[in-house]
Every structure is written in C-alpha cells, then in structure tokens.
Coordinates of all heavy atoms in Angstrom, one line a residue:
M1 N -10.0 -2.8 19.3 CA -9.7 -1.8 18.3 C -10.7 -1.9 17.2 O -11.0 -3.0 16.7 CB -8.3 -2.0 17.7 CG -8.0 -1.2 16.5 SD -6.5 -1.5 15.6 CE -5.3 -1.1 16.8
K2 N -11.3 -0.8 16.8 CA -12.3 -0.9 15.7 C -11.6 -0.8 14.4 O -10.7 0.1 14.2 CB -13.3 0.3 15.9 CG -14.4 0.4 14.8 CD -15.3 1.6 15.1 CE -16.3 1.6 14.0 NZ -17.0 2.9 14.0
A3 N -11.9 -1.6 13.4 CA -11.3 -1.6 12.1 C -11.6 -0.2 11.4 O -12.7 0.3 11.5 CB -11.8 -2.7 11.2
R4 N -10.5 0.3 10.8 CA -10.7 1.6 10.1 C -10.2 1.4 8.7 O -9.4 0.5 8.4 CB -9.8 2.7 10.8 CG -10.3 3.0 12.2 CD -9.5 4.2 12.8 NE -8.1 4.3 12.3 CZ -7.5 5.4 12.2 NH1 -8.0 6.5 12.6 NH2 -6.2 5.4 11.8
E5 N -10.7 2.3 7.8 CA -10.4 2.1 6.4 C -10.3 3.5 5.7 O -11.0 4.4 6.0 CB -11.6 1.4 5.7 CG -11.5 1.1 4.3 CD -12.6 0.3 3.7 OE1 -12.6 -1.0 4.0 OE2 -13.6 0.8 3.1
I6 N -9.3 3.5 4.7 CA -9.2 4.7 3.9 C -9.1 4.2 2.4 O -8.4 3.2 2.1 CB -7.8 5.5 4.2 CG1 -7.9 6.1 5.6 CG2 -7.6 6.6 3.2 CD1 -6.6 6.8 6.1
V7 N -9.8 4.9 1.6 CA -9.8 4.6 0.1 C -9.0 5.6 -0.6 O -9.3 6.8 -0.5 CB -11.3 4.5 -0.4 CG1 -11.2 4.2 -1.9 CG2 -12.1 3.5 0.3
T8 N -8.0 5.2 -1.3 CA -7.2 6.1 -2.2 C -7.5 5.8 -3.6 O -8.3 5.0 -3.9 CB -5.7 5.9 -1.9 OG1 -5.3 4.6 -2.5 CG2 -5.3 5.9 -0.5
S9 N -6.8 6.5 -4.5 CA -7.0 6.3 -6.0 C -6.5 4.9 -6.4 O -6.9 4.4 -7.5 CB -6.3 7.4 -6.7 OG -6.8 8.6 -6.4
A10 N -5.6 4.3 -5.6 CA -4.9 3.1 -6.1 C -5.2 1.9 -5.2 O -5.0 0.7 -5.6 CB -3.4 3.3 -6.1
Q11 N -5.7 2.1 -3.9 CA -5.8 1.0 -3.0 C -6.9 1.3 -1.9 O -7.1 2.5 -1.6 CB -4.5 0.7 -2.2 CG -3.4 0.2 -3.1 CD -2.1 0.0 -2.3 OE1 -2.0 0.3 -1.1 NE2 -1.1 -0.6 -2.9
I12 N -7.4 0.3 -1.3 CA -8.2 0.4 -0.1 C -7.3 -0.1 1.0 O -6.7 -1.2 0.9 CB -9.5 -0.5 -0.1 CG1 -10.4 -0.1 -1.2 CG2 -10.2 -0.5 1.2 CD1 -11.6 -1.0 -1.4
L13 N -7.1 0.8 2.0 CA -6.2 0.4 3.1 C -7.1 0.3 4.4 O -8.0 1.1 4.6 CB -5.2 1.5 3.4 CG -4.3 1.7 2.2 CD1 -4.4 3.1 1.7 CD2 -2.8 1.5 2.6
R14 N -6.8 -0.7 5.2 CA -7.5 -0.8 6.5 C -6.7 -1.4 7.5 O -5.7 -2.2 7.3 CB -8.8 -1.7 6.2 CG -8.6 -3.1 5.8 CD -9.8 -3.7 5.2 NE -9.5 -4.9 4.4 CZ -8.9 -4.8 3.2 NH1 -8.8 -3.7 2.6 NH2 -8.6 -5.9 2.6
I15 N -7.0 -1.1 8.8 CA -6.4 -1.7 9.9 C -7.4 -2.6 10.6 O -8.5 -2.1 10.9 CB -5.8 -0.7 11.0 CG1 -4.7 0.1 10.4 CG2 -5.4 -1.4 12.2 CD1 -4.1 1.1 11.3
E16 N -7.1 -3.9 10.7 CA -8.0 -4.9 11.2 C -7.9 -4.9 12.7 O -7.0 -4.3 13.3 CB -7.7 -6.2 10.6 CG -7.8 -6.3 9.1 CD -9.3 -6.1 8.6 OE1 -10.2 -6.3 9.4 OE2 -9.4 -5.9 7.4
D17 N -8.7 -5.6 13.4 CA -8.7 -5.8 14.8 C -7.4 -6.4 15.3 O -7.0 -6.2 16.5 CB -9.9 -6.6 15.3 CG -11.2 -5.9 15.2 OD1 -11.2 -4.6 15.1 OD2 -12.2 -6.6 15.1
D18 N -6.7 -7.1 14.5 CA -5.4 -7.7 14.9 C -4.2 -6.7 14.8 O -3.1 -7.1 15.2 CB -5.1 -9.0 14.0 CG -5.0 -8.7 12.6 OD1 -5.0 -7.5 12.2 OD2 -4.9 -9.6 11.8
G19 N -4.5 -5.5 14.4 CA -3.5 -4.5 14.3 C -2.7 -4.4 13.1 O -1.8 -3.6 12.9
I20 N -2.9 -5.4 12.2 CA -2.2 -5.4 10.9 C -2.9 -4.6 9.9 O -4.1 -4.7 9.7 CB -2.0 -6.9 10.4 CG1 -1.2 -7.6 11.4 CG2 -1.4 -6.9 9.0 CD1 -1.0 -9.1 11.1
S21 N -2.1 -3.8 9.1 CA -2.7 -3.0 8.0 C -2.8 -3.9 6.8 O -1.8 -4.6 6.5 CB -1.9 -1.7 7.8 OG -1.9 -0.9 8.8
R22 N -3.9 -3.8 6.1 CA -4.0 -4.6 4.9 C -4.4 -3.6 3.8 O -5.3 -2.7 4.0 CB -5.1 -5.7 5.1 CG -4.6 -6.8 6.0 CD -5.6 -7.8 6.2 NE -5.1 -9.0 7.0 CZ -4.9 -9.0 8.3 NH1 -5.1 -7.9 9.0 NH2 -4.5 -10.1 8.8
A23 N -3.9 -3.8 2.6 CA -4.2 -3.0 1.4 C -4.6 -3.9 0.3 O -4.0 -5.0 0.1 CB -3.0 -2.1 1.0
T24 N -5.6 -3.5 -0.4 CA -6.1 -4.2 -1.6 C -6.0 -3.2 -2.8 O -6.6 -2.2 -2.8 CB -7.5 -4.7 -1.5 OG1 -7.6 -5.5 -0.3 CG2 -8.0 -5.5 -2.7
A25 N -5.1 -3.6 -3.8 CA -4.9 -2.7 -4.9 C -6.0 -2.7 -5.9 O -6.7 -3.8 -6.1 CB -3.6 -3.2 -5.6
F26 N -6.3 -1.6 -6.5 CA -7.2 -1.5 -7.6 C -6.5 -1.8 -8.9 O -5.3 -1.8 -9.0 CB -7.8 0.0 -7.7 CG -8.6 0.4 -6.5 CD1 -8.5 1.7 -6.0 CD2 -9.5 -0.5 -5.9 CE1 -9.2 2.1 -4.9 CE2 -10.3 -0.1 -4.8 CZ -10.1 1.2 -4.3
P27 N -7.2 -2.1 -10.0 CA -6.6 -2.4 -11.3 C -6.1 -1.1 -12.0 O -6.6 -0.7 -13.0 CB -7.7 -3.1 -12.1 CG -9.0 -2.6 -11.5 CD -8.7 -2.3 -10.0
V28 N -5.0 -0.6 -11.4 CA -4.4 0.6 -11.9 C -2.9 0.4 -12.2 O -2.3 -0.5 -11.6 CB -4.6 1.9 -11.0 CG1 -6.0 2.2 -10.8 CG2 -3.9 1.7 -9.7
H29 N -2.3 1.3 -12.9 CA -0.9 1.3 -13.1 C -0.3 2.2 -12.0 O -0.6 3.4 -12.0 CB -0.6 1.9 -14.5 CG 0.9 1.8 -14.8 ND1 1.3 1.2 -16.0 CD2 2.0 2.3 -14.2 CE1 2.6 1.3 -16.0 NE2 3.1 1.9 -15.0
M30 N 0.4 1.7 -11.1 CA 0.9 2.4 -9.9 C 2.0 3.4 -10.4 O 3.1 2.9 -10.7 CB 1.4 1.5 -8.8 CG 1.9 2.2 -7.6 SD 0.7 3.0 -6.6 CE -0.1 1.7 -5.8
R31 N 1.7 4.6 -10.3 CA 2.7 5.7 -10.6 C 3.1 6.4 -9.4 O 2.5 6.1 -8.3 CB 2.0 6.6 -11.7 CG 1.6 5.9 -12.9 CD 1.1 6.9 -14.0 NE 0.5 6.2 -15.1 CZ 1.1 5.6 -16.1 NH1 2.5 5.6 -16.1 NH2 0.5 5.0 -17.1
L32 N 4.0 7.3 -9.5 CA 4.6 8.0 -8.3 C 3.5 8.7 -7.5 O 3.4 8.6 -6.3 CB 5.7 9.0 -8.7 CG 6.3 9.8 -7.6 CD1 6.9 8.9 -6.5 CD2 7.3 10.8 -8.1
A33 N 2.6 9.4 -8.2 CA 1.5 10.1 -7.5 C 0.6 9.2 -6.7 O 0.3 9.5 -5.5 CB 0.7 10.9 -8.5
F34 N 0.3 8.0 -7.2 CA -0.5 7.1 -6.5 C 0.3 6.5 -5.3 O -0.2 6.4 -4.2 CB -0.9 5.9 -7.4 CG -2.0 6.2 -8.4 CD1 -2.1 5.4 -9.5 CD2 -2.9 7.2 -8.2 CE1 -3.1 5.7 -10.4 CE2 -3.9 7.5 -9.1 CZ -4.0 6.7 -10.2
A35 N 1.6 6.3 -5.5 CA 2.4 5.7 -4.4 C 2.5 6.8 -3.3 O 2.4 6.4 -2.1 CB 3.8 5.4 -4.9
Q36 N 2.7 8.0 -3.6 CA 2.7 9.1 -2.6 C 1.4 9.1 -1.8 O 1.4 9.3 -0.6 CB 3.0 10.4 -3.2 CG 4.5 10.5 -3.7 CD 4.7 11.7 -4.6 OE1 3.8 12.2 -5.3 NE2 6.0 12.1 -4.6
E37 N 0.3 9.0 -2.5 CA -1.0 9.1 -1.9 C -1.2 7.9 -0.9 O -1.7 8.0 0.2 CB -2.1 9.0 -3.0 CG -3.5 9.1 -2.4 CD -4.6 9.0 -3.5 OE1 -4.3 8.7 -4.7 OE2 -5.8 9.1 -3.2
V38 N -0.8 6.7 -1.4 CA -0.9 5.5 -0.6 C 0.0 5.6 0.7 O -0.5 5.2 1.8 CB -0.5 4.2 -1.4 CG1 -0.3 3.0 -0.5 CG2 -1.6 3.9 -2.4
V39 N 1.2 6.1 0.6 CA 2.0 6.3 1.8 C 1.4 7.2 2.8 O 1.4 7.0 4.0 CB 3.5 6.6 1.4 CG1 4.3 7.1 2.6 CG2 4.2 5.5 0.7
R40 N 0.9 8.4 2.3 CA 0.2 9.3 3.1 C -0.9 8.7 3.9 O -1.1 8.9 5.1 CB -0.2 10.6 2.4 CG 0.9 11.6 2.0 CD 0.3 12.9 1.5 NE -0.5 12.7 0.3 CZ -0.1 12.7 -0.9 NH1 1.2 13.0 -1.2 NH2 -0.9 12.6 -2.0
A41 N -1.7 7.9 3.1 CA -2.9 7.3 3.7 C -2.5 6.2 4.8 O -3.1 6.1 5.8 CB -3.8 6.6 2.7
T42 N -1.4 5.5 4.5 CA -0.9 4.5 5.4 C -0.4 5.1 6.7 O -0.7 4.6 7.8 CB 0.3 3.7 4.8 OG1 -0.2 3.1 3.5 CG2 0.8 2.6 5.7
I43 N 0.2 6.3 6.6 CA 0.7 7.0 7.8 C -0.5 7.5 8.6 O -0.5 7.3 9.8 CB 1.6 8.2 7.4 CG1 2.9 7.6 6.8 CG2 1.9 9.1 8.5 CD1 3.8 8.7 6.1
E44 N -1.5 8.1 7.9 CA -2.7 8.6 8.6 C -3.4 7.4 9.3 O -3.8 7.6 10.4 CB -3.6 9.2 7.6 CG -4.9 9.8 8.2 CD -5.8 10.4 7.1 OE1 -5.3 10.7 6.0 OE2 -7.0 10.4 7.4
L45 N -3.6 6.3 8.6 CA -4.4 5.2 9.1 C -3.7 4.6 10.4 O -4.4 4.3 11.3 CB -4.5 4.1 8.1 CG -5.5 3.0 8.3 CD1 -6.9 3.5 8.4 CD2 -5.4 2.0 7.2
A46 N -2.4 4.6 10.4 CA -1.6 4.0 11.5 C -1.4 4.9 12.7 O -0.9 4.5 13.7 CB -0.3 3.4 11.0
D47 N -1.8 6.2 12.5 CA -1.6 7.2 13.6 C -0.2 7.2 14.1 O 0.1 7.4 15.3 CB -2.5 6.9 14.7 CG -4.0 7.2 14.4 OD1 -4.2 8.1 13.6 OD2 -4.9 6.5 14.9
G48 N 0.8 7.0 13.2 CA 2.2 7.1 13.6 C 2.8 5.9 14.2 O 3.9 5.8 14.6
T49 N 1.9 4.8 14.4 CA 2.4 3.6 15.0 C 2.9 2.7 14.0 O 2.3 2.4 13.0 CB 1.2 2.9 15.7 OG1 0.6 3.8 16.7 CG2 1.6 1.6 16.4
P50 N 4.1 2.2 14.2 CA 4.7 1.2 13.2 C 3.8 0.0 13.1 O 3.5 -0.6 14.1 CB 6.1 0.9 13.7 CG 6.4 1.9 14.8 CD 5.1 2.4 15.3
R51 N 3.4 -0.4 11.8 CA 2.6 -1.5 11.6 C 3.0 -2.2 10.3 O 3.4 -1.5 9.3 CB 1.1 -1.1 11.4 CG 0.5 -0.5 12.6 CD -1.0 -0.3 12.4 NE -1.5 0.4 13.5 CZ -1.9 -0.1 14.7 NH1 -1.6 -1.4 14.9 NH2 -2.4 0.6 15.7
P52 N 3.0 -3.5 10.3 CA 3.2 -4.2 9.0 C 2.0 -4.0 8.1 O 0.9 -3.7 8.5 CB 3.3 -5.7 9.4 CG 2.5 -5.8 10.7 CD 2.7 -4.4 11.4
V53 N 2.3 -3.9 6.8 CA 1.2 -3.7 5.8 C 1.3 -4.9 4.8 O 2.3 -5.0 4.1 CB 1.4 -2.4 5.0 CG1 0.3 -2.2 4.1 CG2 1.5 -1.2 6.0
L54 N 0.2 -5.6 4.7 CA 0.1 -6.7 3.7 C -0.6 -6.1 2.5 O -1.7 -5.6 2.7 CB -0.6 -7.9 4.3 CG 0.0 -8.6 5.5 CD1 -0.9 -9.7 6.0 CD2 1.4 -9.2 5.1
V55 N -0.1 -6.3 1.3 CA -0.7 -5.7 0.1 C -1.0 -6.8 -0.9 O -0.2 -7.6 -1.3 CB 0.3 -4.7 -0.5 CG1 -0.3 -4.0 -1.7 CG2 0.8 -3.7 0.5
D56 N -2.3 -6.8 -1.2 CA -2.8 -7.8 -2.2 C -2.7 -7.1 -3.6 O -3.5 -6.2 -3.8 CB -4.2 -8.2 -1.9 CG -4.8 -9.2 -2.9 OD1 -4.2 -9.4 -3.9 OD2 -5.8 -9.8 -2.5
T57 N -1.8 -7.5 -4.4 CA -1.6 -6.8 -5.7 C -2.1 -7.6 -6.9 O -1.7 -7.4 -8.0 CB -0.1 -6.5 -5.9 OG1 0.6 -7.7 -5.9 CG2 0.4 -5.5 -4.9
R58 N -2.9 -8.6 -6.6 CA -3.4 -9.5 -7.7 C -4.1 -8.7 -8.9 O -4.0 -9.1 -10.0 CB -4.3 -10.6 -7.2 CG -3.6 -11.6 -6.4 CD -4.6 -12.6 -5.8 NE -5.4 -12.0 -4.8 CZ -6.3 -12.6 -4.1 NH1 -6.6 -13.9 -4.3 NH2 -7.0 -12.0 -3.1
T59 N -4.8 -7.7 -8.6 CA -5.5 -6.9 -9.6 C -4.7 -5.8 -10.2 O -5.1 -5.1 -11.1 CB -6.9 -6.5 -9.1 OG1 -6.7 -5.6 -8.0 CG2 -7.7 -7.6 -8.7
Q60 N -3.6 -5.4 -9.5 CA -2.8 -4.2 -10.0 C -2.2 -4.5 -11.3 O -1.7 -5.6 -11.6 CB -1.7 -4.0 -8.9 CG -1.1 -2.6 -9.1 CD -0.3 -2.2 -7.9 OE1 -0.1 -3.0 -7.0 NE2 0.1 -1.0 -7.8
K61 N -2.3 -3.5 -12.2 CA -1.8 -3.7 -13.6 C -0.3 -3.7 -13.6 O 0.3 -4.6 -14.3 CB -2.4 -2.6 -14.5 CG -3.8 -2.8 -14.7 CD -4.4 -1.8 -15.7 CE -5.8 -2.1 -16.0 NZ -6.4 -1.1 -16.9
A62 N 0.4 -2.7 -13.0 CA 1.8 -2.6 -13.1 C 2.3 -1.5 -12.1 O 1.4 -0.8 -11.5 CB 2.3 -2.1 -14.5
V63 N 3.6 -1.5 -11.8 CA 4.2 -0.5 -10.9 C 5.4 0.1 -11.6 O 6.3 -0.6 -12.0 CB 4.6 -1.1 -9.6 CG1 5.2 -0.1 -8.6 CG2 3.5 -1.9 -8.9
D64 N 5.4 1.5 -11.7 CA 6.5 2.1 -12.3 C 7.7 2.0 -11.4 O 7.6 1.8 -10.2 CB 6.2 3.7 -12.4 CG 5.4 4.1 -13.5 OD1 5.1 3.2 -14.4 OD2 5.0 5.3 -13.6
Q65 N 8.9 2.0 -12.0 CA 10.1 1.9 -11.3 C 10.2 3.0 -10.2 O 10.7 2.8 -9.1 CB 11.3 1.9 -12.2 CG 12.7 1.8 -11.5 CD 12.8 0.4 -10.9 OE1 12.3 -0.6 -11.4 NE2 13.5 0.4 -9.7
V66 N 9.8 4.2 -10.6 CA 9.9 5.4 -9.7 C 9.0 5.1 -8.5 O 9.4 5.4 -7.3 CB 9.5 6.7 -10.4 CG1 9.4 7.9 -9.5 CG2 10.4 7.0 -11.5
A67 N 7.8 4.5 -8.7 CA 6.9 4.2 -7.6 C 7.5 3.2 -6.7 O 7.5 3.3 -5.5 CB 5.6 3.8 -8.1
R68 N 8.2 2.1 -7.3 CA 8.9 1.1 -6.5 C 9.9 1.7 -5.6 O 10.1 1.4 -4.4 CB 9.5 0.1 -7.4 CG 8.5 -0.9 -8.1 CD 9.3 -1.8 -9.0 NE 8.5 -2.5 -9.9 CZ 8.0 -3.7 -9.7 NH1 8.3 -4.4 -8.6 NH2 7.2 -4.3 -10.5
E69 N 10.7 2.6 -6.2 CA 11.8 3.3 -5.4 C 11.2 4.1 -4.3 O 11.8 4.2 -3.2 CB 12.7 4.1 -6.4 CG 13.5 3.2 -7.3 CD 14.1 4.0 -8.5 OE1 14.0 5.3 -8.5 OE2 14.8 3.4 -9.3
Y70 N 10.1 4.8 -4.6 CA 9.5 5.6 -3.5 C 9.0 4.7 -2.4 O 9.3 5.0 -1.2 CB 8.3 6.4 -4.1 CG 7.6 7.2 -3.1 CD1 8.2 8.5 -2.8 CD2 6.4 6.8 -2.5 CE1 7.6 9.3 -1.8 CE2 5.8 7.6 -1.5 CZ 6.4 8.8 -1.2 OH 5.8 9.6 -0.2
F71 N 8.3 3.6 -2.7 CA 7.9 2.7 -1.6 C 9.1 2.1 -0.8 O 9.0 1.9 0.4 CB 7.1 1.5 -2.2 CG 5.7 1.8 -2.5 CD1 5.2 1.5 -3.8 CD2 4.9 2.4 -1.6 CE1 3.9 1.7 -4.1 CE2 3.5 2.7 -1.9 CZ 3.1 2.3 -3.2
A72 N 10.3 2.0 -1.4 CA 11.4 1.5 -0.7 C 12.3 2.5 -0.1 O 13.3 2.3 0.6 CB 12.3 0.6 -1.7
G73 N 11.9 3.8 -0.4 CA 12.8 4.9 0.0 C 12.6 5.5 1.4 O 11.7 5.0 2.2
A74 N 13.3 6.6 1.6 CA 13.3 7.2 2.9 C 11.9 7.9 3.3 O 11.5 7.9 4.5 CB 14.4 8.3 3.0
E75 N 11.2 8.4 2.3 CA 9.9 9.0 2.6 C 9.0 8.0 3.2 O 8.3 8.3 4.2 CB 9.4 9.7 1.3 CG 8.2 10.6 1.6 CD 8.6 11.8 2.4 OE1 9.8 12.3 2.3 OE2 7.7 12.3 3.2
A76 N 8.9 6.9 2.6 CA 8.0 5.8 3.1 C 8.5 5.3 4.4 O 7.7 5.0 5.3 CB 7.9 4.7 2.1
A77 N 9.8 5.3 4.6 CA 10.4 4.8 5.9 C 10.0 5.8 7.0 O 9.8 5.4 8.2 CB 11.9 4.6 5.8
K78 N 10.0 7.1 6.7 CA 9.6 8.1 7.7 C 8.2 7.8 8.3 O 7.9 8.0 9.4 CB 9.6 9.5 7.1 CG 10.9 10.1 6.9 CD 10.7 11.5 6.3 CE 11.9 12.0 5.7 NZ 11.7 13.3 5.0
G79 N 7.3 7.3 7.4 CA 6.0 6.9 7.8 C 5.9 5.6 8.4 O 4.8 5.1 8.8
R80 N 7.1 4.9 8.6 CA 7.1 3.6 9.2 C 6.3 2.6 8.4 O 5.6 1.8 9.0 CB 6.7 3.6 10.6 CG 7.6 4.6 11.4 CD 7.2 4.8 12.8 NE 8.0 5.7 13.5 CZ 7.8 6.3 14.6 NH1 6.7 5.9 15.3 NH2 8.6 7.2 15.1
C81 N 6.3 2.7 7.1 CA 5.5 1.8 6.3 C 6.3 0.5 6.0 O 7.1 0.5 5.1 CB 5.1 2.5 5.0 SG 4.1 4.0 5.2
A82 N 6.1 -0.5 6.8 CA 6.8 -1.8 6.5 C 5.9 -2.6 5.6 O 5.1 -3.4 6.0 CB 7.0 -2.5 7.8
R83 N 5.9 -2.3 4.3 CA 5.0 -2.9 3.3 C 5.6 -4.3 2.9 O 6.7 -4.4 2.6 CB 4.8 -2.0 2.1 CG 4.2 -0.7 2.6 CD 4.0 0.2 1.4 NE 2.9 -0.2 0.6 CZ 1.6 0.1 0.8 NH1 1.3 0.7 1.9 NH2 0.7 -0.3 0.0
S84 N 4.7 -5.2 2.8 CA 5.0 -6.5 2.3 C 4.0 -7.0 1.3 O 2.8 -6.9 1.6 CB 5.0 -7.5 3.5 OG 5.1 -8.8 3.0
R85 N 4.4 -7.3 0.1 CA 3.5 -7.7 -0.9 C 3.0 -9.1 -0.7 O 3.7 -10.0 -0.3 CB 4.1 -7.7 -2.3 CG 4.3 -6.3 -2.8 CD 4.5 -6.3 -4.3 NE 4.7 -5.0 -4.7 CZ 5.9 -4.4 -5.0 NH1 6.9 -5.2 -4.8 NH2 6.0 -3.2 -5.4
S86 N 1.7 -9.3 -0.9 CA 1.2 -10.7 -0.9 C 0.6 -11.0 -2.3 O 0.5 -10.1 -3.1 CB 0.1 -10.8 0.2 OG -1.0 -9.9 -0.1
A87 N 0.2 -12.2 -2.5 CA -0.4 -12.6 -3.8 C 0.5 -12.2 -4.9 O 0.1 -11.4 -5.8 CB -1.8 -11.9 -3.9
R88 N 1.6 -12.8 -5.0 CA 2.6 -12.5 -6.0 C 2.3 -13.0 -7.4 O 3.2 -13.1 -8.2 CB 4.0 -13.0 -5.5 CG 4.5 -12.2 -4.3 CD 5.9 -12.6 -4.0 NE 6.4 -11.7 -3.0 CZ 7.1 -10.6 -3.3 NH1 7.4 -10.3 -4.5 NH2 7.6 -9.9 -2.3
R89 N 1.1 -13.4 -7.7 CA 0.8 -13.8 -9.0 C 0.8 -12.7 -10.1 O 1.0 -12.9 -11.2 CB -0.6 -14.4 -9.1 CG -0.8 -15.7 -8.4 CD -2.2 -16.3 -8.5 NE -3.1 -15.4 -9.2 CZ -4.3 -15.5 -9.3 NH1 -4.9 -16.5 -8.7 NH2 -5.1 -14.7 -10.0
S90 N 0.7 -11.5 -9.6 CA 0.6 -10.3 -10.5 C 1.9 -10.1 -11.2 O 3.0 -10.3 -10.6 CB 0.2 -9.1 -9.7 OG 0.3 -8.0 -10.5
S91 N 1.9 -9.7 -12.5 CA 3.1 -9.5 -13.2 C 3.9 -8.4 -12.7 O 5.1 -8.3 -12.8 CB 2.8 -9.2 -14.7 OG 2.0 -8.1 -14.8
C92 N 3.3 -7.4 -12.0 CA 4.0 -6.3 -11.4 C 4.9 -6.7 -10.2 O 5.8 -5.9 -9.8 CB 3.1 -5.1 -11.0 SG 2.1 -5.5 -9.6
C93 N 4.7 -7.8 -9.7 CA 5.5 -8.2 -8.5 C 6.5 -9.3 -8.7 O 7.2 -9.7 -7.8 CB 4.5 -8.7 -7.4 SG 3.3 -7.5 -7.0
R94 N 6.6 -9.7 -10.0 CA 7.6 -10.8 -10.2 C 9.0 -10.2 -10.2 O 9.3 -9.1 -10.7 CB 7.4 -11.4 -11.6 CG 6.1 -12.2 -11.6 CD 6.0 -13.0 -12.9 NE 4.6 -13.5 -12.9 CZ 3.8 -13.5 -13.9 NH1 4.2 -13.0 -15.1 NH2 2.6 -14.1 -13.9
S95 N 9.9 -10.9 -9.6 CA 11.3 -10.5 -9.5 C 12.1 -10.8 -10.8 O 11.8 -11.8 -11.4 CB 12.0 -11.1 -8.3 OG 11.3 -10.8 -7.1

C-alpha cells in the first residue's frame, strides 16, 4: 500500500503502509468546522474502510466541547473514524 496524505485546516492525515491512519494536529483551536473537515478527510482517506486513527495533539491549542462531541458522535461513527489520541501532554487532552 502506498502511503497517502490529506492536509486539512487543522491536521495532516495519512495512511501509512501498515494500514493505520495517523494525524498530526496543527497549533489551532479545534472548533466544530475544523472537526467536520477532519472527519470528512478521514473518511475520504480510508476509502470507507474502518481504520484506527492515532492523533498527535501535542501542538493543538484547545478543542471546543462541541468539536469533542462531534468526534464522539454518530456522524464521525458513520465514517468509521475510530480515533485515538496520542501524546496526551497537551492541555486539550487532559481528562
């Protein structure tokens, strides 16, 4: 499999040769519009195939509650976006 990449306003998303999608966040405040763009790109990149997504959020400034709910909601689930945050040092990812 050839690695593919999509750049959105909030993240760079890519599928590596191992079949895992990886995303690297830009230093932005993740709002709903960015979250929607990221989910659309994730769906496009995976060609409808369910894939885990590892997200490096170390540089991300913050995530709105509405964006968090969107990532956890039905719309993202339709796209089979099984997102998992990595690099939990960022303040936006603390529980």
Side-chain angles (χ1 to χ4, degrees):
M1 172 189 294
K2 182 180 175 189
R4 296 186 327 152
E5 180 176 283
I6 295 178
V7 179
T8 71
S9 300
Q11 296 179 350
I12 297 174
L13 299 118
R14 63 197 161 281
I15 294 182
E16 303 289 344
D17 290 336
D18 60 8
I20 296 175
S21 296
R22 289 176 173 78
T24 303
F26 295 140
V28 298
H29 187 124
M30 180 67 76
R31 301 183 190 282
L32 179 59
F34 287 157
Q36 291 168 330
E37 181 184 8
V38 166
V39 168
R40 281 192 302 269
T42 303
I43 293 167
E44 178 184 338
L45 192 64
D47 291 327
T49 302
R51 297 189 186 280
V53 181
L54 297 174
V55 185
D56 181 347
T57 58
R58 288 178 289 182
T59 62
Q60 194 164 9
K61 291 184 177 180
V63 181
D64 281 353
Q65 182 64 33
V66 175
R68 288 178 193 264
E69 291 169 0
Y70 181 79
F71 281 129
E75 193 65 31
K78 283 182 197 173
R80 302 175 183 169
C81 300
R83 300 179 73 82
S84 172
R85 286 199 181 99
S86 63
R88 292 186 171 264
R89 288 181 0 190
S90 172
S91 62
C92 71
C93 299
R94 290 187 190 135
S95 300

